[in-house]
Amino acid sequence: MRITIVGCGYVGTALARHWRHDPQVRLTVTCTREERRSQLAPLAERVEVLRAGDGPALRLALQDAEVAVFCLAPTGDRLVSADAYGATYRDSFSALAALVDELPNLRQIVYTGSCSVYGDAGGGWVDESTPAAPRDDHGRVLLESEELLGRCRAPGRRVCVLRLGAIYGPGRELGERFRPLAGSTRPGDGRQHSSWIHRDDVVGAIAAAVNGGWDGLVNLVDDEPLPVADLLDRVLAAGALEPVRWHPAAATGTKPADRRVSNRRLHQLGHRLRHPRVQVPLLKRIDQTLFDALASQSREAPRGRCNHNLHQESDLVQRFLNVLQPGTYVRPHRHQREQPGTGFECFLVLQGAVGLLVLDAAGAVISRQRLEAGGALRGVELAEGQVHTLVALEPDTVLFELKQGPYIPSADKDFLSQFPAEGTPAAEAQERCWRALFEEEENADP
Ligand SMILES: NC(=O)c1ccc[n+]([C@@H]2O[C@H](COP(=O)([O-])OP(=O)(O)OC[C@H]3O[C@@H](n4cnc5c(N)ncnc54)[C@H](OP(=O)(O)O)[C@@H]3O)[C@@H](O)[C@H]2O)c1
């Protein structure tokens, strides 16, 4: 089968990769920039550089095609004007409508359109039978484009318009996309629904549309429209980032469009999505942004330190960051557990430096170690029952700690009673004294 993909960007390239190894498919792809030719050349028999509004160039790209897949979109800044939308979609489909009858082999056109043509439904469901009611000029251009494509339908030539939700996937991860919103305040309440579709499901549905000769409108969205606020909450929480705060009183102008887009027809066509729900990234990032946020929290904390748990307290593996400032007092303690071998504690210094003191049961120092990010000694594992304390030797010191859970506060630590309790002047003096041991060492002549 001869197929031409017009517009080989994010989706088009993934689609070309999908078809590359199919011996039945002979592929032509297009882009608008000469510099992309070499990137696309391994994926297709032919690469054409064109704007689809250029009729003769489009005719050349489609001349033998049995199927034309239009995945074109204005390149560059996502917030393009409605005029730029017109120049991409309206001009291209006007050119196609004018020449389609000169393409006798062409039996199907597939276009990746957008759900934005539905406009607002007050939070209600919309499907392919719901009249389109775009709310802005961009949506009107897209609807007009669908109408131009409709004119290309003829006996023996099908036109399938896939109305897509917002696309996410590799290289367009939700975590990265929403990261800049962390901790921001946004107008409104975020209750409006959004529809998403994974890039690989766009590819899968286009391939199914071609294999199955789909015709007409098909919504290409996942199974679960999500309120924007819920989606942001989930994604930001998964990235250990601050949530967005909503400010209903600050909302001005028209309310954002709210609709739940049904994919029932997609299911009726027998198509199954690989990602029926938005996949929230399962990564909890441990990065400088997190260190900086925790450092400022620990500077303000009365104890001069704070924990950031990656685990739940009931988890069997307790893993967390401990961010400390010089002056914080850690009362000497040991971890005793009922099960042998489970009272260990492992530290790694990810930023800054600590002084670790290992003590005997009487409180005498038996080992003194400087642990430093990027230094000679970067971490240790303490054996069960080993009494220890530590002092922060640099501001904003970040430790990664690992020990056996679940965390039971009353059973976690066994303090040496001869050392002062936290928050007392004696504790402050003790911490200064321990820190001085390391500072003296640093200042000592070699
Ligand atoms: N992104 C979304 O969330 C979303 C949502 C709903 C629907 N859609 C639709 O999904 C499709 C795929 O989007 P995408 O993210 O893959 O887009 P993309 O990465 O921006 O790629 C767009 C492709 O279209 C080409 N192009 C630009 N102007 C053109 C023109 N006038 N004539 C011919 N080709 C042109 C570009 O050429 P160059 O390679 O030279 O730049 C590029 O190859 C589009 O039809 C879009 O409207 C996207």
Side-chain angles (χ1 to χ4, degrees):
M1 184 182 341
R2 288 184 179 276
I3 302 178
T4 297
I5 302 174
V6 180
C8 210
Y10 184 61
V11 167
T13 302
L15 185 60
R17 286 211 176 93
H18 170 84
W19 274 325
R20 179 175 43 166
H21 299 299
D22 185 339
Q24 308 294 323
V25 174
R26 304 191 58 188
L27 204 57
T28 296
V29 300
T30 83
C31 58
T32 62
R33 290 169 290 152
E34 193 57 47
E35 67 264 25
R36 292 211 59 227
R37 188 189 282 279
S38 57
Q39 198 187 338
L40 296 174
L43 302 180
E45 273 186 14
R46 207 151 60 96
V47 180
E48 298 289 344
V49 177
L50 58 85
R51 295 205 161 267
D54 174 350
L58 184 62
R59 185 189 298 107
L60 192 67
L62 297 179
Q63 62 189 358
D64 301 320
E66 293 153 79
V67 175
V69 181
F70 284 83
C71 288
L72 74 179
T75 308
D77 188 355
R78 298 257 126 217
L79 300 170
V80 292
S81 67
D83 285 346
Y85 251 50
T88 305
Y89 298 104
R90 192 195 292 119
D91 292 3
S92 301
F93 295 129
S94 300
L96 177 66
L99 63 83
V100 71
D101 290 332
E102 301 165 33
L103 302 169
N105 297 325
L106 192 64
R107 56 178 169 76
Q108 190 187 25
I109 299 167
V110 179
Y111 158 58
T112 47
S114 165
C115 285
S116 63
V117 295
Y118 286 117
D120 183 45
W125 285 96
V126 295
D127 63 19
E128 294 80 352
S129 66
T130 309
R135 293 240 302 205
D136 56 20
D137 289 342
H138 291 75
R140 281 186 274 281
V141 168
L142 294 180
L143 184 58
E144 212 182 310
S145 304
E146 288 188 6
E147 287 160 2
L148 284 164
L149 275 171
R151 287 186 217 158
C152 298
R153 188 175 281 110
R157 195 189 306 127
R158 297 170 179 205
V159 175
C160 176
V161 175
L162 300 170
R163 287 181 172 165
L164 275 58
I167 303 172
Y168 71 103
R172 289 192 187 172
E173 285 84 4
L174 294 177
E176 289 310 308
R177 195 158 169 161
F178 295 151
R179 167 174 285 271
L181 300 181
S184 67
T185 301
R186 301 189 60 76
D189 58 11
R191 300 319 305 160
Q192 71 278 13
H193 292 81
S194 59
S195 290
W196 293 84
I197 188 76
H198 193 281
R199 182 203 65 182
D200 295 346
D201 279 322
V202 181
V203 169
I206 295 172
V210 171
N211 285 339
W214 295 0
D215 192 26
L217 298 175
V218 182
N219 292 337
L220 182 50
V221 292
D222 70 13
D223 291 355
E224 186 187 35
L226 278 177
V228 169
D230 291 4
L231 178 64
L232 284 169
D233 274 356
R234 285 196 210 174
V235 173
L236 294 175
L241 295 166
E242 265 194 79
V244 163
R245 286 177 292 275
W246 294 94
H247 188 2
T252 52
T254 335
K255 270 180 70 177
D258 186 11
R259 58 182 175 253
R260 283 181 283 169
V261 181
S262 163
N263 65 5
R264 195 170 340 144
R265 177 155 193 235
L266 188 69
H267 285 281
Q268 282 166 350
L269 285 161
H271 190 68
R272 292 288 164 267
L273 295 172
R274 280 177 60 189
H275 304 283
R277 287 187 173 71
V278 156
Q279 292 196 312
V280 171
L282 298 173
L283 297 178
K284 293 181 183 170
R285 295 172 63 94
I286 300 172
D287 60 7
Q288 196 60 46
T289 312
L290 179 61
F291 291 180
D292 293 347
L294 295 172
S296 73
Q297 215 173 303
S298 78
R299 271 180 245 130
E300 284 161 26
R303 299 177 85 194
R305 65 177 181 269
C306 68
N307 274 11
H308 175 79
N309 291 350
L310 302 167
H311 60 266
Q312 303 294 316
E313 288 192 349
S314 56
D315 285 357
L316 288 179
V317 181
Q318 308 275 294
R319 52 222 187 266
F320 56 97
L321 300 179
N322 195 345
V323 183
L324 311 101
Q325 301 298 334
T328 190
Y329 171 72
V330 179
R331 195 177 182 198
H333 62 278
R334 61 189 160 193
H335 301 282
Q336 301 278 34
R337 297 283 194 275
E338 275 178 17
Q339 265 196 309
T342 59
F344 67 88
E345 184 168 16
C346 190
F347 302 110
L348 290 176
V349 184
L350 303 182
Q351 176 171 284
V354 294
L356 175 77
L357 296 166
V358 183
L359 313 176
D360 66 15
V365 174
I366 54 174
S367 172
R368 195 169 77 198
Q369 303 288 342
R370 182 184 172 92
L371 278 55
E372 189 170 3
L377 182 65
R378 299 176 193 191
V380 290
E381 182 178 287
L382 286 159
E384 173 161 0
Q386 191 73 76
V387 181
H388 62 280
T389 182
L390 51 83
V391 287
L393 299 177
E394 287 182 19
D396 304 341
T397 289
V398 180
L399 294 187
F400 175 72
E401 296 193 28
L402 193 75
K403 57 186 181 179
Q404 180 85 20
Y407 179 67
I408 303 164
S410 57
D412 185 63
K413 291 188 190 74
D414 181 14
F415 292 105
L416 279 202
S417 56
Q418 60 267 48
F419 286 98
E422 260 189 70
T424 58
E428 281 178 30
Q430 179 66 78
E431 188 276 338
R432 277 197 301 275
C433 169
W434 283 330
R435 193 150 34 100
L437 294 176
F438 292 92
E439 286 162 0
E440 280 161 18
E441 192 175 69
E442 207 170 284
N443 296 334
D445 288 334

